[in-house]
Amino acid sequence: MTRNFGKFITLEGSEGVGKTTNIDFVCQLLETNNVPYIRTREPGGTPLAEALRDAMLAVREEQVSGMTELLLVFAARMQHLDCVIRPALAQGMWVVCDRFTDASYAYQGYGRGLKLERIAALEQWVQDGLQPDLTLLLDLAPDLAQQRMLERTKDRMESEQLEFYQRVRAGYLTRAAADEGRFRVIDAQKTIDQVAAAIETHIADLIRRWHN
C-alpha cells in the first residue's frame, strides 16, 4: 500500500551526463516494484511551463541575462508545482523529475554568477518549503560531457563554453556536499550498467523505506 503522500525524486547534472537514459531506468525500477509515479521535467511539465522553457532555450541574437533566465525558470516552476507536482504527491504518486531547483543554483547561480540569496528567496516564495526527497546527481567532467554532445543539435544553454560548465559542475558538487542526506552523487563516467547498478542500489533502499 502506498503511503498517503508521494515521494519526490529528482535527477540532476549538466548536459551530456546521461539523465534521459537514467530517468528511463528509475521509472522502470518503480514500475517493477508497483510504485505509482509520474515522470516530468524542468523547465516544463505543463503547456505554459513548456512554452517558457522554449522561450528560455531558443537560440537568439538578443542577449538573455542570467536574471531573465532565473525568472523564466521560476515562473515555469510555479506552474509546474501547482498543476503537476503538488497534486501528484497529494494523491500518493511518486514524482520523477528531470532537474529542479538545484539546477537553478548550479546554472544561474554558479554558472551565471547571480547572487545565491536571490535564488533562495525565489525558492522560498515558490516552493514554500517543498524539497525533493532524493536527488541523484550524475557527475561528469565537462570536457567529457561535451564530447558526448558533438553530434547533438544544441539549444542556447547547450552552446555555452567549457568554463561555464565547469562552474555549473562545481555548483552542483557544492550543493551535494552541503546536503548529503538528500543527494547521491553518481559517477557518470562509468559504464551504463555500472551507473544503473549504483542508481538501483539507492532506489531499492528508498522503496524499502517508503513503499509498503
Side-chain angles (χ1 to χ4, degrees), residues 7-8 18 42 73 81 83 117-118 121 149-150 154 161 176:
K7 297 300 177 183
F8 188 14
E42 287 221 340
V73 168
L81 283 165
C83 296
E117 294 82 359
R118 291 184 177 178
M149 297 192 296
L150 288 177
K154 297 180 180 179
Q161 299 299 309

Side-chain angles (χ1 to χ4, degrees), residues 20-209:
T20 299
T21 297
N22 289 294
I23 287 175
D24 288 343
F25 181 65
V26 170
C27 293
Q28 290 171 10
L29 289 173
L30 297 181
E31 288 179 7
T32 299
N33 287 275
N34 298 314
V35 178
Y37 75 93
I38 63 166
R39 173 177 178 168
T40 190
R41 69 174 182 176
E42 287 221 340
T46 79
L48 175 56
E50 290 289 339
L52 291 169
R53 175 192 181 93
D54 291 343
M56 188 190 79
L57 295 179
V59 177
R60 60 184 76 242
E61 294 183 4
E62 178 183 8
Q63 183 176 357
V64 180
S65 74
M67 196 64 191
T68 298
E69 285 181 1
L70 184 67
L71 292 172
L72 285 169
V73 168
F74 268 98
R77 183 164 295 139
M78 184 79 256
Q79 188 73 3
H80 193 200
L81 283 165
D82 281 352
C83 296
V84 176
I85 295 177
R86 290 186 191 278
L89 293 173
Q91 293 169 16
M93 305 284 287
W94 287 31
V95 175
V96 181
C97 191
D98 182 343
R99 295 202 179 110
F100 194 59
T101 306
D102 294 302
S104 299
Y105 282 95
Y107 279 78
Q108 283 76 45
Y110 289 85
R112 300 291 189 213
L114 296 185
K115 293 181 179 179
L116 301 183
E117 294 82 359
R118 291 184 177 178
I119 303 175
L122 287 169
E123 178 184 17
Q124 180 56 41
W125 293 339
V126 169
Q127 294 168 223
D128 195 24
L130 178 67
Q131 292 289 337
D133 296 287
L134 170 69
T135 296
L136 299 173
L137 173 59
L138 296 165
D139 178 54
L140 182 66
D143 57 334
L144 297 178
Q146 287 196 338
Q147 290 176 21
R148 294 182 178 182
M149 297 192 296
L150 288 177
E151 298 182 0
R152 181 187 300 185
T153 300
K154 297 180 180 179
D155 60 35
R156 188 176 61 82
M157 195 70 74
E158 291 170 339
S159 300
E160 287 290 343
Q161 299 299 309
L162 179 63
E163 293 77 10
F164 174 80
Y165 286 110
Q166 289 171 337
R167 295 193 298 271
V168 168
R169 183 194 189 195
Y172 269 131
L173 292 175
T174 298
R175 297 277 296 168
D179 193 355
E180 294 180 349
R182 173 166 66 88
F183 275 88
R184 302 292 184 273
V185 180
I186 309 293
D187 183 356
Q189 187 175 348
K190 293 184 176 180
T191 68
I192 292 176
D193 288 343
Q194 288 173 323
V195 171
I199 290 175
E200 184 171 11
T201 297
H202 298 308
I203 296 296
D205 177 61
L206 297 177
I207 289 174
R208 282 193 297 270
R209 289 194 283 125

